[in-house]
Every structure is written in structure tokens, then in C-alpha cells.
């Protein structure tokens, strides 16, 4: 049963309605450990599905190219002001369609084609849009890549400084998609100043932790900050760019008209709702619980003999190297999915295996924390992961089926925002 209900969808397109219902049940019955996923509130779901999807609003509040903006302008203004207040930023743009376009806007604002740009290498936990070869950012700009240390699994800040002073990138990215440790924004800022570079912090994964005070903020250190609005922030699928006042004009011009046309006003409204939710005291407690759950889960996995990149976590994310377990990341992830434990296979630093069949697993605790699971449940989660990984190595499907049933039984006691089984 959906909340909000979808009776018209069921009436007009039962095929799609059935698939949506199946997906809702899947999300309800599985331990969702994909680090980039979460559950949004019913209020965010409602905002996303409003008649705002009917409107076109090219431009910015007070400076539109279409008439009829009497209600859209206040909505976008609320989203902008809430973003600035929540993160303490001087400027916010809430129009980017998603994280990758937000990052592309940084390139358009600060670089010319062929300019050097520096970011964490993708196999080390960086993002495609930080200058990786298959991305437009690696084709249109000259990428300079830094790594993590083989002995610690942490960013090699000495290498960052040496490369920055040698290559003089126009933009230095910090942040990524598989970084389990605290990002040292002050150290990156010092290096960027020394190299004469713009510091861009991609905090898509940790924005909610920053908003909740569970991770240091890049505000005051980075010139520009990009983030998605889902993941740990628990908003809709969208993005934001925060910046200093000095760079506000360049950022806004890069987003529109530089990269996109009209914003998605229904998403803007949902972003505004999520930002209001994130400003409440309960969200700070949630962010702290996300980190607490990750730390306990990491410790439980270590106790079971798992190799964790960097030896643990400071945030919501755990990166496991399965090499010692005799099974690759992809078959392990597929077995875990059949067992009701949803995560993703992932490359690990210095991985000898190919990206589509890597050695690792990536785990995040944001969604299960939203469901209400706390530290007390994490040893059981680790035990299930261990059982299924061992079963994957032996191709023991009976264990997989048993764990799936146990997971469903556990999660029946933890409500899911937006859907519940029909009584």
C-alpha cells in the first residue's frame, strides 16, 4: 500500500503500477546497503509528484523567460535559502538535474577545454566526472590523478601537493564515491591556494552527514561544493551547487544557460522539503546513527576476518576487499542480493581485476538507519553477509534462501516510509 496512494496509476496503467508495487515490496523486504541509496519521507514523495511537474521555469527567481512564475519563484527561493542556512554557504544553486551535471557546471564555470583538472583516480574511490578517461571530463580536459596510499588506503596528501605544484591544475577535486574516511578539507584548501587552483568539494555521499554535524564541512575551505540531494541527505534525485559569493555568478551562468534549460520544479520543491527536514534536530541524531551503525558493522566484519580498505570507516561507507575470501565482488554481490542484502560490487584500490568483475563490495548504512536499525542489529547484518559470501564461494543456494527469509522476518518490524504491506 503506497503512501501517498496511487489509485489513478493503477487504473490507467496497471502494468506500470504493478512494477512500481513490486519495487516497493522489494525495497521493503531487503536490507538496502547500497551507499548511494536511501528512503525519502512521505512529504518528499508527495512534493515530487505534484502539478509542479507541469511547469517550465527557465531562468532564476525574478528573472524567468516564461510567465506564470508566481508560485515557482517562492518555491525555488525557499530551497535556495534553506540550502544556504543548512550548510552555512554564501550562495546556492538548486537547479542541477543530478550530480554529474552539477560537476560539469564547475568545469564550465572555471575551465577552458584542455585545461588541467585534478581528482582522485576512479579505481581509488574517485568519480567519473573528476577527470576519468571514459568521461567527457577526461576527454575535454587534461586529467591529473592522485591516489590513496597502498599501506593505509587513505588519500596520499603528499602526492596531492607534489602533483598540484607540478601540474598546476585549474581545479582540484576532493571527494568521491568510495571514500570511507574523513576528507581533510583544510589540507586540500591549503594545497589549492599554494597551486593557485579552485578547490571543488564533491560531497554527494556525505552531504547529509555534513548537514547533521557527523562529518566536517567544506564550507569555508572549498570555493565550490557540489552534491546530490539524495543519498545521506534523504531528498529527491537532484543536485545542488554551493559556493562563495565571489563565484555565484559564474556558477549560475554555467548551470543556466550553460548546461540546461528549465529546472524540474517538482524536484526543487522536494529538495526544499528535504532541506527543511534536515534542519530539524532529529536529522542530526539520524546522521550520528548512520556513522555509529557503519562503525559497528565495520568492526563486526573485521572480527570475521574481512579486509576493509583503510581498516574501517569514519562515515556511512565501508569498502571490502574479498580477495582473501576466494570469491570476486560480482558473484558475491549477486548472491547477497538473492539473500535480501542489496549492495554493489566495487573496485578496490590497486585492484588486479577488471572494473566489471572487481574484487570488492561497497556498503553503506544510510538506508537501513532510516528504517530504524541501530548498532544492536549490525553484528547480525555482518553475520548474514559472511554466511552468504561463504555460500557464494561454495555455490550453496540453500544458505542464500535461508538468509533471505531471515532478512524479511527482521525487516517486517521496521516500517518503510512510503509503503507498507496491505493488511
Amino acid at each position: 500500500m503506497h503512501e501517498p496512494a496511487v489509485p489513478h496509476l493503477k487504473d490507467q496503467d496497471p502494468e506500470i503500477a504493478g512494477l512500481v508495487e513490486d519495487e516497493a515490496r522489494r525495497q521493503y523486504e531487503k536490507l538496502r546497503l547500497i551507499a548511494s541509496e536511501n528512503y525519502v519521507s512521505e512529504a518528499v514523495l508527495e512534493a515530487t509528484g505534484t502539478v509542479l511537474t507541469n511547469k517550465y521555469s527557465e531562468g532564476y527567481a525574478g528573472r524567468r523567460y516564461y510567465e506564470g512564475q508566481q508560485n515557482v519563484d517562492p518555491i525555488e527561493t525557499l530551497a535556495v535559502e534553506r540550502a544556504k542556512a543548512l550548510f552555512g554557504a554564501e550562495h546556492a544553486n538548486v537547479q542541477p538535474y543530478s550530480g554529474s551535471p552539477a560537476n560539469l557546471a564547475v568545469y564550465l564555470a572555471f575551465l577552458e577545454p584542455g585545461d588541467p583538472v585534478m581528482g582522485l583516480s576512479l579505481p581509488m574511490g574517485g568519480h567519473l566526472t573528476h577527470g576519468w578517461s571514459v568521461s567527457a571530463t577526461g576527454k575535454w580536459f587534461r586529467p591529473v590523478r592522485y591516489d590513496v596510499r597502498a599501506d593505509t588506503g587513505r588519500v596520499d596528501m603528499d602526492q596531492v601537493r607534489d602533483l598540484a605544484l607540478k601540474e598546476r591544475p585549474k581545479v582540484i577535486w576532493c571527494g568521491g564515491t568510495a571514500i570511507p574516511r574523513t576528507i581533510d578539507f583544510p589540507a586540500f584548501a591549503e594545497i589549492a591556494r599554494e597551486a593557485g587552483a579552485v578547490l571543488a568539494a564533491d560531497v554527494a555521499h556525505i552531504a547529509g552527514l555534513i548537514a547533521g554535524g557527523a562529518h566536517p564541512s567544506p564550507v569555508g575551505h572549498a570555493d565550490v561544493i557540489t552534491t546530490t540531494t539524495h543519498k545521506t541527505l534523504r531528498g529527491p534525485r537532484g543536485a545542488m551547487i554551493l559556493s562563495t559569493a565571489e563565484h555565484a555568478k559564474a556558477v549560475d551562468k554555467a548551470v543556466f544557460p550553460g548546461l540546461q534549460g528549465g529546472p524540474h520544479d517538482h524536484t526543487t520543491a522536494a529538495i526544499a522539503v528535504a532541506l527543511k527536514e534536515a534542519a530539524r534536530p532529529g536529522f542530526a541524531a539520524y546522521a550520528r546513527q548512520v556513522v555509529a551503525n557503519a562503525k559497528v558493522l565495520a568492526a563486526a566484519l573485521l572480527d570475521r576476518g574481512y579486509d576493509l580498505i583503510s581498516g574501517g570507516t569514519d562515515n556511512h561507507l565501508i569498502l571490502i576487499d574479498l580477495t582473501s575470501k576466494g570469491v570476486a565482488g560480482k558473484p558475491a554481490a549477486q548472491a547477497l542480493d538473492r539473500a535480501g542484502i542489496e549492495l554493489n560490487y566495487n573496485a578496490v584500490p590497486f585492484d588486479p581485476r577488471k572494473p566489471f568483475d572487481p574484487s570488492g563490495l561497497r556498503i553503506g548504512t544510510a538506508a537501513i538507519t532510516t528504517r530504524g536499525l541501530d548498532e544492536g542489529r549490525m553484528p547480525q547484518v555482518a553475520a548474514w553477509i559472511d554466511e552468504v559470501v561463504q555460500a557464494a564461494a561454495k555455490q550453496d543456494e540453500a544458505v542464500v534462501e535461508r538468509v533471505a527469509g531471515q532478512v524479511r522476518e527482521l525487516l517486517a518490524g521496521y516500517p518503510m516510509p512510503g509503503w507498507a504491506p496491505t493488511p
Side-chain angles (χ1 to χ4, degrees):
M1 179 176 63
H2 281 268
E3 182 62 43
V6 289
H8 300 94
L9 178 60
K10 291 179 180 179
D11 179 63
Q12 296 296 319
D13 196 332
E15 186 177 9
I16 291 295
L19 290 169
V20 171
E21 183 77 6
D22 290 346
E23 172 59 17
R25 180 174 292 277
R26 190 196 66 81
Q27 292 185 17
Y28 176 82
E29 292 181 344
K30 290 200 173 187
L31 279 168
R32 298 178 61 227
L33 295 174
I34 290 180
S36 52
E37 293 185 352
N38 210 329
Y39 298 92
V40 301
S41 69
E42 289 90 346
V44 170
L45 284 173
E46 288 179 1
T48 305
T50 60
V51 295
L52 289 167
T53 197
N54 299 336
K55 192 73 189 92
Y56 243 104
S57 305
E58 284 191 356
Y60 292 99
R63 296 178 290 119
R64 305 286 189 182
Y65 290 83
Y66 291 68
E67 299 306 317
Q69 309 298 331
Q70 297 91 335
N71 302 304
V72 169
D73 277 4
I75 288 171
E76 186 170 319
T77 299
L78 275 172
V80 167
E81 293 304 317
R82 288 174 181 177
K84 289 162 60 178
L86 182 64
F87 290 97
E90 294 176 348
H91 178 69
N93 186 307
V94 297
Q95 292 195 5
Y97 299 147
S98 65
S100 291
N103 287 352
L104 289 176
V106 173
Y107 288 87
L108 187 58
F110 299 109
L111 288 87
E112 296 292 335
D115 280 346
V117 61
M118 187 169 166
L120 180 61
S121 174
L122 181 66
M124 303 291 166
H127 192 261
L128 284 167
T129 57
H130 297 176
W132 196 241
S133 55
V134 297
S135 164
T137 62
K139 297 178 183 294
W140 297 343
F141 304 94
R142 180 167 67 82
V144 178
R145 299 171 185 132
Y146 60 90
D147 301 313
V148 299
R149 291 175 57 97
D151 57 342
T152 66
R154 299 173 185 246
V155 172
D156 188 339
M157 296 306 296
D158 291 333
Q159 182 198 34
V160 172
R161 182 175 183 274
D162 291 344
L163 283 172
L165 296 181
K166 177 184 177 183
E167 302 292 344
R168 299 288 172 174
K170 293 290 185 66
V171 168
I172 297 176
W173 286 100
C174 59
T177 64
I179 302 173
R181 294 298 183 175
T182 301
I183 300 170
D184 192 343
F185 298 121
F188 272 104
E190 184 177 347
I191 291 168
R193 283 194 298 269
E194 194 174 358
V198 169
L199 179 61
D202 184 338
V203 299
H205 266 271
I206 55 174
L209 305 184
I210 292 167
H215 188 288
S217 173
V219 174
H221 303 292
D223 301 283
V224 61
I225 302 160
T226 64
T227 182
T228 53
T229 49
H230 42 289
K231 301 186 176 80
T232 55
L233 195 54
R234 290 204 300 202
R237 298 296 295 271
M240 302 187 300
I241 304 176
L242 310 174
S243 76
T244 60
E246 175 188 359
H247 298 304
K249 185 175 181 180
V251 166
D252 286 353
K253 186 177 178 181
V255 174
F256 175 84
L259 287 175
Q260 60 190 54
H264 297 167
D265 297 321
H266 57 299
T267 301
T268 304
I271 290 171
V273 173
L275 292 170
K276 184 172 184 178
E277 292 175 349
R280 293 171 179 155
F283 190 88
Y286 162 75
R288 292 192 299 270
Q289 188 64 58
V290 168
V291 175
N293 283 349
K295 286 180 177 294
V296 173
L297 180 56
L301 289 167
L302 286 170
D303 287 345
R304 291 179 174 274
Y306 283 81
D307 297 321
L308 308 186
I309 301 305
S310 80
T313 183
D314 296 325
N315 52 40
H316 68 301
L317 191 147
I318 301 166
L319 191 58
I320 305 173
D321 184 349
L322 290 176
T323 301
S324 66
K325 296 297 182 178
V327 62
K330 188 172 184 177
Q334 291 172 335
L336 284 159
D337 188 47
R338 295 194 301 275
I341 302 171
E342 178 193 17
L343 42 72
N344 67 278
Y345 56 87
N346 209 94
V348 296
F350 310 103
D351 200 332
R353 302 181 65 89
K354 294 181 179 180
F356 199 61
D357 187 24
S359 300
L361 298 173
R362 187 183 68 158
I363 292 176
T365 54
I368 60 171
T369 306
T370 297
R371 285 289 292 271
L373 277 72
D374 60 14
E375 299 101 318
R377 293 296 186 183
M378 295 305 107
Q380 178 61 74
V381 173
W384 281 332
I385 291 171
D386 186 30
E387 283 188 87
V388 178
V389 167
Q390 292 187 54
K394 301 173 184 176
Q395 298 185 342
D396 186 347
E397 202 63 24
V399 170
V400 172
E401 293 178 5
R402 173 177 56 78
V403 171
Q406 292 172 332
V407 168
R408 286 193 298 271
E409 184 178 354
L410 170 69
L411 290 178
Y414 293 89
M416 166 184 155
W419 188 86
T422 303

